[in-house]
Amino acid sequence: MTTYFVLKWLHIVASVLLVGTGFGSAFFLYFANRSGNLSAQAVVCRLVVRVDWWFVCPTAVIQPLSGIAMAMITGWSLTTPWLAASLALYILAGICWLPAIWLQLQMAKMAIDAHHRGNALPTQYWRYAWIWQRLGYPAFLAMLLVYYLMISKPSF
């Protein structure tokens, strides 16, 4: 088993965990927010934060490191168009994801606090949820394009 093979396996597994858990978290929080069930919102918000720390953060680091290592092994320059575009899109997704993490933390605190106190969610929660959702669209689209570029490696 070569170093490249191990890196490729790690890269693929990390990409599945990164995009899959990100999409899954967004799916469940989106629908928990529409349920009107404060208990569900508090639980899902708390779990979305955990998923980000346990799966998304580590794989978000593994992805570029393994990809750059594979490029170095194969002799691809980081300025190769498909690779440079992948990196740019990955950075775009990260720019969207970083504030989303902060928003998720705030939303979880608000939802858990409202649930424990028996209060309705504050208006700020819904404002944050709206921004969080809007940040998810370009991040997810960027990652889908990265998948396309990783698989097809088009020559521009």
Side-chain angles (χ1 to χ4, degrees):
M1 195 174 323
T2 65
T3 301
Y4 181 82
F5 178 84
V6 171
L7 286 169
K8 187 173 184 176
W9 177 84
L10 187 62
H11 193 71
I12 291 168
V13 170
S15 74
V16 170
L17 287 172
L18 176 66
V19 175
T21 56
F23 181 75
S25 294
F27 177 87
F28 286 111
L29 187 52
Y30 176 86
F31 284 103
N33 280 339
R34 270 123 199 96
S35 74
N37 183 327
L38 181 55
S39 179
Q41 289 169 286
V43 168
V44 171
C45 278
R46 182 175 48 85
L47 292 175
V48 164
V49 168
R50 283 187 186 172
V51 162
D52 266 2
W53 291 123
W54 294 351
F55 296 103
V56 177
C57 285
T59 58
V61 173
I62 292 168
Q63 260 323 106
L65 294 179
S66 60
I68 290 168
M70 286 189 301
M72 291 172 54
I73 288 171
T74 59
W76 282 325
S77 167
L78 297 182
T79 60
T80 302
W82 73 266
L83 193 49
S86 294
L87 290 168
L89 288 163
Y90 193 82
I91 290 167
L92 171 64
I95 289 169
C96 294
W97 179 64
L98 289 173
I101 292 173
W102 183 84
L103 291 167
Q104 288 172 187
L105 288 167
Q106 302 311 308
M107 290 164 57
K109 288 176 191 174
M110 287 184 254
I112 291 166
D113 183 60
H115 182 256
H116 287 307
R117 295 176 188 264
N119 296 339
L121 286 167
T123 305
Q124 189 68 25
Y125 177 92
W126 297 107
R127 197 169 304 126
Y128 285 175
W130 187 87
I131 296 167
W132 176 82
Q133 185 178 333
R134 296 312 177 276
L135 288 169
Y137 296 132
F140 186 67
L141 179 60
M143 292 308 294
L144 288 179
L145 291 171
V146 169
Y147 269 123
Y148 169 77
L149 293 169
M150 284 187 339
I151 293 167
S152 67
K153 297 174 182 56
S155 57
F156 295 108

